[in-house]
Structure formats: C-alpha cells, structure tokens
Amino acid sequence: MKIHNSFDTFIAKNPIVTIGMFDGVHTGHTSIIQQLHLAKKEYNGEAVVVTFWPHPRMVFGNSSNFILTTIDEKCALLKTYGVDHCIIIPFSEQFSRISAKDYITHILYEKIKVAKIIIGHDHRYGYKGEGDFALLKKYGESLGFAVEEIPAFEIETTTVSSSKIRNAIIHGNLETANTLLGYTYSFAGTVIHGNKIGRTIGVPTANISAESKEKIIPGNGVYTGAIRIKNKYYNAVISVGINPTINTNNESIHVEAHILDFSENIYNETVRIYFIHKIRNERTFKNLTELKNAIQNDITHTRNYHKSNSLKII
C-alpha cells in the first residue's frame, strides 16, 4: 500500500475511493473496503482510502484516552485489508471550514480524479457536516463519477460504530469490542520500572507506559490478555488501575502485565499488549497474601481461557 501525505504524490488508475476517519478500521469499515475491491475489479481501478490526521477530537477537544488507532496502526490495518492507496489529509480548524462543494470539486474531482466513491450510510463532510449522499450523487452525475452508499453494518443486530467500540473498551467489555473490531484490541508501550512489589510475592509484572496518550485504555480491572515481545507472543494477566492495595494515596492509572512462563529482563523494550477478556474488577485487598492469592486465581483463569480460545491478531 502506498501512503500519501499530500496529493502531490498521488497517482492511481480509476480510483475507487472511500473517505472517513476509519478510527479502529472495524468490521463496519471493512464492509466498505470489501465494496471497494468489488468496484475495483469492475472499473479496473485501484482501492483508495482518504482519511484524516489528527483526529478532530485532537484539534477541537481533549483527545486523551479516546482514539482506537494511531495513524500508523490505521495504515497497517488498511494495508492488511488490501487497500492500494491511503491519502492522509492533515486535519485542522482551517480544513474543517471547507465547504461541501469545494470538498467534492477540489479534492475528490480535481485532485483525486475519482472514478467511483463509496461511503457509509452516515457519512457527512464539508463545513459543519453540510454535505450528504444526495449532494455527492448530484455532483457525481454532473462531473462524471459514480457514487454508492453502503447501509449500516450489523453484527447480531448491533450496528457497528467506533463510538460503540470505545464505550465497550472503557467499560471493560472486550469481547464485544473485539467482535466489532474484528481483531483483538491492543496498544504499544515501553516497559518501565515500577515499585517491584510483584517480585516480593512471586508474581513479577512488567509496568507498561503507553506509547500514545490518545489511545483508549480499558477500564480498571484485571484482564486475560497477551503480550508481544520481539515478535513473540506470550499469554499474560493484565492489570489496569491504581493498585489500591499498594498505592493507597495514588490515583494515577497503571498498566501492568504478569507474563506467563517468562523471566527475561525487558526493561525499556517496546511491547504490544492485547486485551481479550475481563476477569474481575479492581479490588482493595487486606494484605499482600490476599493479593497474591487473587493473582494466582487470575493466572489459572488466564491459562484455562487460552486453552479454549485463540488470539486473533492483525
């Protein structure tokens, strides 16, 4: 896949285009990409995704713990799904004021030279979202490009959307989130030094500082998960929270992973952790013995879970 940070580098044969934030590149997005591939064959063209970075939330509001995918993750997913080109438009307050008419004529028609555009049922564009499917179709008829609208994609009667996935992750419902995503939610981070209490009770943990402060961190609790270290995967018990048993006066969120059957020194390593299934809520224990027993139960749960469930990684 070719990545274009400006229109100057973009050249494609009969571009079949879809446009959107594509945060998460979830199953609703992939249903649109599938239609791109069908039209690509029909038009003997190339599949093109036009997306934006940074996320509008990062421009107009607080984006901390909000996005599902960084721009690099988004591009990697689009490549996996066979997209030929990804055009990244820098999003700014100035760009947000472009009219729907200019959006269609200057970007889609003049710069991209679109042969066909495929959009989701709720796609809006232009200043304050003034542009809709009807307007796009009107201009397509006059300028000579085709337009197709894709209905909402549903899984078991649940309409897929990035906002529903965000809500599921925030509330620790990773099964729902991962089903809607079509893969296992994860984020990258660096292993840093912690208070090393885990070592004293026989369950050492890797403290992980998230690479992106904008990525959503699952809600406080203990999770069955996995960790990728130097392209090798290990099962893990992941804790998200304030560690109330140990840090009685600390309200900052920590992410720690007890890596099963692993004893190497990985300080300062960049790793990726995957969240699969919530085991329990975060609790305050009376002492370290109670904490150790709870973690041992979490480890047993995780081993059993992995025996009967596979990790879907993209």
Side-chain angles (χ1 to χ4, degrees):
M1 183 181 77
K2 294 180 180 179
I3 299 173
H4 309 272
N5 291 297
S6 76
F7 295 108
D8 297 338
T9 64
F10 177 73
I11 299 176
K13 180 181 180 182
N14 298 329
I16 310 301
V17 177
T18 189
I19 302 177
M21 272 310 305
F22 278 76
D23 190 24
V25 195
H26 53 62
T27 52
H29 296 139
T30 56
S31 69
I32 296 175
I33 293 172
Q34 288 171 3
Q35 296 303 311
L36 285 186
H37 288 304
L38 291 175
K40 170 183 167 178
K41 293 179 180 178
E42 179 185 353
Y43 283 75
N44 190 26
E46 297 178 69
V48 181
V49 169
V50 178
T51 191
F52 310 94
W53 192 261
H55 193 287
R57 178 79 171 259
M58 299 165 73
V59 175
F60 293 113
N62 179 16
S63 63
S64 179
N65 302 138
F66 177 77
I67 64 173
L68 297 170
T69 44
T70 64
I71 188 61
D72 290 339
E73 290 170 338
K74 187 190 300 188
C75 288
L77 285 162
L78 292 172
K79 180 179 179 180
T80 297
Y81 292 125
V83 172
D84 297 309
H85 299 268
C86 178
I87 301 173
I88 303 170
I89 296 178
F91 188 87
S92 63
E93 185 173 355
Q94 181 181 359
F95 177 81
S96 74
R97 295 181 177 277
I98 188 172
S99 70
K101 175 186 175 181
D102 287 344
Y103 187 92
I104 296 170
T105 57
H106 295 330
I107 294 178
L108 295 179
Y109 180 68
E110 295 176 3
K111 294 184 180 295
I112 300 177
K113 297 177 174 57
V114 59
K116 181 174 184 176
I117 181 166
I118 301 175
I119 59 172
H121 73 289
D122 57 351
H123 182 69
R124 309 289 292 192
Y125 54 91
Y127 184 52
K128 294 185 177 180
E130 63 185 353
D132 58 8
F133 173 74
L135 184 65
L136 193 58
K137 189 173 182 180
K138 175 184 175 181
Y139 274 94
E141 289 171 351
S142 64
L143 297 175
F145 59 82
V147 181
E148 180 181 353
E149 185 179 43
I150 304 298
F153 184 76
E154 296 185 348
I155 295 179
E156 295 181 355
T157 71
T158 297
T159 302
V160 180
S161 70
S162 297
S163 59
K164 287 183 179 178
I165 296 169
R166 293 186 194 105
N167 186 63
I169 293 172
I170 289 169
H171 289 90
N173 192 348
L174 272 300
E175 285 93 344
T176 295
N178 293 337
T179 296
L180 299 181
L181 283 169
Y183 57 88
T184 303
Y185 184 71
S186 68
F187 64 78
T190 303
V191 179
I192 61 175
H193 288 276
N195 54 28
K196 299 178 174 61
I197 295 295
R199 292 183 182 181
T200 67
I201 58 176
V203 281
T205 60
N207 289 263
I208 299 163
S209 175
E211 189 175 73
S212 168
K213 302 306 178 186
E214 287 79 31
K215 284 268 288 186
I216 292 178
I217 304 295
N220 289 12
V222 179
Y223 297 84
T224 285
I227 185 168
R228 187 181 73 199
I229 306 169
K230 297 177 179 178
N231 292 320
K232 188 173 181 179
Y233 296 87
Y234 302 87
N235 295 335
V237 176
I238 304 169
S239 172
V240 179
I242 62 174
N243 299 334
T245 304
I246 299 166
N247 300 319
T248 54
N249 296 316
N250 191 345
E251 295 183 357
S252 61
I253 301 298
H254 299 268
V255 179
E256 301 179 49
H258 172 68
I259 309 167
L260 276 58
D261 308 313
F262 185 85
S263 59
E264 296 177 26
N265 184 339
I266 55 172
Y267 286 121
N268 300 318
E269 288 282 352
T270 297
V271 300
R272 180 168 288 274
I273 55 174
Y274 298 82
F275 293 84
I276 303 170
H277 161 76
K278 186 173 183 179
I279 302 172
R280 60 177 173 85
N281 292 327
E282 185 175 48
R283 292 172 52 195
T284 301
F285 296 95
K286 294 178 181 178
N287 50 54
L288 291 181
T289 299
E290 279 194 5
L291 174 61
K292 178 180 179 179
N293 290 338
I295 294 174
Q296 291 298 338
N297 288 336
D298 299 333
I299 292 170
T300 299
H301 181 102
T302 294
R303 289 192 187 280
N304 292 335
Y305 190 93
H306 279 292
K307 285 179 181 178
S308 56
N309 296 273
S310 60
L311 179 66
K312 185 174 182 181
I313 296 172
I314 294 181

